[in-house]
């Protein structure tokens, strides 16, 4: 960490390292690991409140936790959508009943969430969604389709942005609903097989799915405000942890360049140094904006920076491998499992970095309209 480290912070870092060293081997499957984290009180440390089975710590210690977690390459999280996105949104906009109902099982790792935002034909344009939620006596009936829904195949709940006002357009008439995923015949999840061979993303079809009236967050018709608030939580401390992972990947690419002899090429050496320097720049930018809500364009600038950087790293990984980059770790003949090594996976998966989480086009529009004050783009 590059700011104000006290002896107490260093003691906390030692505590984190000790706990991870003791428990990271207990990971089991992803859901079991969430419960291990919850049992240690490590879920929800950045909520700013405690009392839901979590511990609350300051910004510096959140950074310590995130960076140490990344350094030991602890298992990928399946509960981060509930912890990092929904929970802060409920704390800001939810009722006391909603907080008491949903925050404890998130903090314990017992309930997993997915995000029902993007739709076919709308993509990153949230104001263009068409999923409808019709008010009934006991709640809402939801019909429509969401796409690129991360971890929907594992989730217990989904927060869904839907139209509750018939005939409304753009950001008007939207509501933010909490929807249980266990509704056979009313909710269907179809995994999307990616070119990496994995299926983290899904299509989700709602056919009369039910959401209870008390699971409406922020009031009917206020979904746009709630959704925009949630997007503000998507980046922050987690960006610094992400950069630790990036640094590890860059180290692998450097090792591959040395092993293949590509590191002797002055052009390749220049590209490797550029990746290193840009990663340092991203870190300083993240530290500069950490904890601040004054710069509305900061999250979009960060997304534009790391998305393109990560793609260039994947391309460089293939370049330093040469012809060997086309050869998998196993037999790629018909009928055999589709396997990739770490650098091949990096290259293929990073193709999506400029699309998911808000495409580059959307990020540039946000900067143009909200920061530079340029005229709003005409919408159909």
């Amino acid at each position: 960490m590059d700011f104000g480290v006290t002896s107490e912070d260093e003691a906390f870092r030692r505590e984190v390292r000790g706990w991870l060293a003791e428990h990271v081997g207990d990971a089991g499957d992803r859901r079991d690991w969430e419960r291990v984290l919850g049992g240690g009180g490590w879920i929800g440390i950045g909520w700013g409140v405690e009392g839901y089975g979590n511990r609350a710590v300051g910004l510096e210690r959140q950074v310590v936790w995130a960076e140490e977690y990344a350094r030991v390459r602890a298992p990928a999280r399946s509960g981060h959508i509930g912890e990092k996105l929904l929970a802060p949104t409920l704390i800001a906009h939810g009722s006391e009943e909603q907080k008491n109902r949903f925050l404890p099982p998130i903090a314990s790792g017992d309930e997993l969430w997915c995000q029902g935002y993007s739709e076919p034909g709308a993509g990153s344009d949230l104001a263009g969604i068409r999923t409808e939620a019709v008010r009934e006596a006991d709640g809402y009936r939801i019909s429509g389709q969401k796409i690129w829904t991360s971890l929907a195949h594992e989730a217990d709940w989904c927060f869904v942005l839907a139209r509750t006002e018939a005939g409304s357009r753009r950001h008007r008439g939207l509501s933010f609903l909490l929807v249980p995923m266990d509704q056979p015949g009313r909710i269907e999840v179809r995994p999307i097989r990616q070119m990496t061979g994995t299926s983290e993303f899904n299509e989700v079809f709602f056919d009369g799915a039910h959401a209870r009236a008390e699971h409406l967050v922020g009031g009917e018709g206020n979904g746009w405000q709630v959704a925009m608030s949630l997007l503000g939580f998507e980046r922050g401390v987690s960006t610094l942890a992400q950069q630790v992972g990036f640094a590890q990947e860059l180290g692998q690419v450097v090792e591959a360049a040395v092993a293949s002899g590509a590191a002797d090429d002055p052009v390749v050496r220049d590209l490797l140094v550029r990746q290193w320097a840009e990663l340092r720049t991203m870190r300083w930018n993240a530290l500069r904006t950490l904890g601040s809500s004054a710069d509305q364009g900061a999250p979009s600038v960060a997304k534009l920076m790391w998305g393109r950087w990560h793609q260039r790293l994947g391309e460089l990984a293939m370049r330093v491998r040469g012809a060997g980059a086309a050869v998998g770790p196993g037999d790629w003949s018909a009928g055999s499992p589709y396997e990739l090594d770490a650098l091949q996976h990096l290259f293929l998966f990073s193709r999506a970095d400029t699309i998911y989480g808000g495409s580059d086009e959307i990020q540039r529009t946000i900067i143009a309209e909200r920061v530079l004050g340029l005229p709003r783009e005409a919408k159909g």
Side-chain angles (χ1 to χ4, degrees):
M1 217 164 31
D2 302 279
F3 52 88
V5 181
T6 66
S7 58
E8 289 80 8
D9 291 332
E10 285 302 323
F12 181 74
R13 188 181 292 275
R14 290 193 294 271
E15 177 190 354
V16 168
R17 286 177 176 170
W19 189 92
L20 286 170
E22 180 181 355
H23 291 90
V24 75
D26 300 335
D29 63 25
R30 287 157 66 107
R31 186 176 287 267
D32 284 344
W33 177 238
E34 291 299 315
R35 294 191 175 108
V36 171
L37 291 172
W42 295 112
I43 299 177
I45 64 173
W47 291 350
V49 295
E50 56 186 340
Y52 298 102
N54 64 313
R55 63 174 90 187
V57 301
L59 193 59
E60 292 86 353
R61 296 188 181 188
Q62 293 172 46
V63 173
V64 167
W65 167 255
E67 291 188 334
E68 292 300 327
Y69 191 95
R71 286 196 177 100
V72 300
R73 301 188 181 183
R77 295 287 309 280
S78 58
H80 64 280
I81 295 174
E83 178 190 7
K84 304 293 187 183
L85 300 184
L86 178 66
T89 302
L90 287 181
I91 292 169
H93 299 281
S95 65
E96 287 302 314
E97 292 75 12
Q98 290 168 345
K99 296 174 191 177
N100 292 331
R101 164 59 185 86
F102 292 109
L103 294 182
I106 292 174
S108 65
D110 288 322
E111 288 184 350
L112 304 181
W113 286 79
C114 61
Q115 179 178 13
Y117 272 21
S118 297
E119 292 186 12
S124 298
D125 181 12
L126 296 184
I129 68 170
R130 292 175 291 182
T131 294
E132 296 181 345
V134 178
R135 183 66 187 265
E136 297 184 336
D138 58 346
Y140 296 85
R141 293 291 171 186
I142 304 170
S143 299
Q145 179 187 356
K146 299 294 182 178
I147 197 167
W148 305 117
T149 309
S150 301
L151 305 178
H153 58 296
E154 299 180 10
D156 303 296
W157 289 79
C158 181
F159 50 90
V160 177
L161 195 61
R163 293 201 175 276
T164 49
E165 180 183 334
S168 62
R169 298 184 63 189
R170 304 303 301 160
H171 61 274
R172 298 177 180 84
L174 298 173
S175 294
F176 190 98
L177 296 162
L178 310 179
V179 183
M181 292 293 286
D182 186 14
Q183 299 190 48
R186 295 179 176 178
I187 298 180
E188 180 185 359
V189 177
R190 298 180 189 173
I192 300 172
R193 184 175 173 84
Q194 299 142 221
M195 57 185 176
T196 56
T198 56
S199 301
E200 291 93 348
F201 305 113
N202 305 266
E203 294 178 281
V204 182
F205 297 86
F206 298 93
D207 186 9
H210 182 65
R212 294 167 59 178
E214 60 265 33
H215 293 165
L216 169 70
V217 179
E220 187 172 295
N222 294 324
W224 180 257
Q225 289 79 10
V226 177
M228 291 301 99
S229 175
L230 181 143
L231 292 176
F233 298 123
E234 279 196 304
R235 301 172 186 99
V237 170
S238 59
T239 301
L240 290 166
Q242 179 191 52
Q243 291 168 9
V244 172
F246 286 170
Q248 292 169 340
E249 290 177 336
L250 177 57
Q252 291 179 306
V253 174
V254 171
E255 291 174 3
V258 172
S260 69
D264 297 329
D265 182 341
V267 174
V268 170
R269 294 168 73 92
D270 183 68
L271 291 172
L272 289 169
V273 170
R274 177 180 176 179
Q275 289 294 123
W276 177 87
E278 289 179 349
L279 182 58
R280 295 300 299 174
T281 299
M282 287 192 290
R283 175 175 177 79
W284 289 114
N285 183 64
L287 289 170
R288 179 181 66 85
T289 59
L290 192 62
S292 172
S293 58
D295 187 351
Q296 291 187 342
S300 294
V301 170
K303 175 63 166 58
L304 287 169
M305 291 173 65
W306 72 252
R308 291 293 180 184
W309 182 93
H310 203 217
Q311 285 187 347
R312 289 196 300 272
L313 182 66
E315 292 162 1
L316 186 55
M318 296 300 96
R319 177 170 180 168
V320 303
R321 293 272 295 277
V327 180
D331 182 7
W332 280 4
S333 60
S336 64
Y338 186 81
E339 294 184 43
L340 300 169
D341 62 32
L343 294 185
Q344 290 168 333
H345 187 275
L346 161 64
F347 170 68
L348 292 176
F349 193 86
S350 65
R351 298 302 88 195
D353 285 345
T354 52
I355 300 173
Y356 70 78
S359 68
D360 277 13
E361 292 77 11
I362 292 295
Q363 304 304 335
R364 291 191 178 98
T365 297
I366 291 172
I367 294 170
E369 296 179 355
R370 301 184 189 176
V371 180
L372 301 179
L374 297 178
R376 291 189 176 276
E377 181 182 4
K379 305 288 186 179

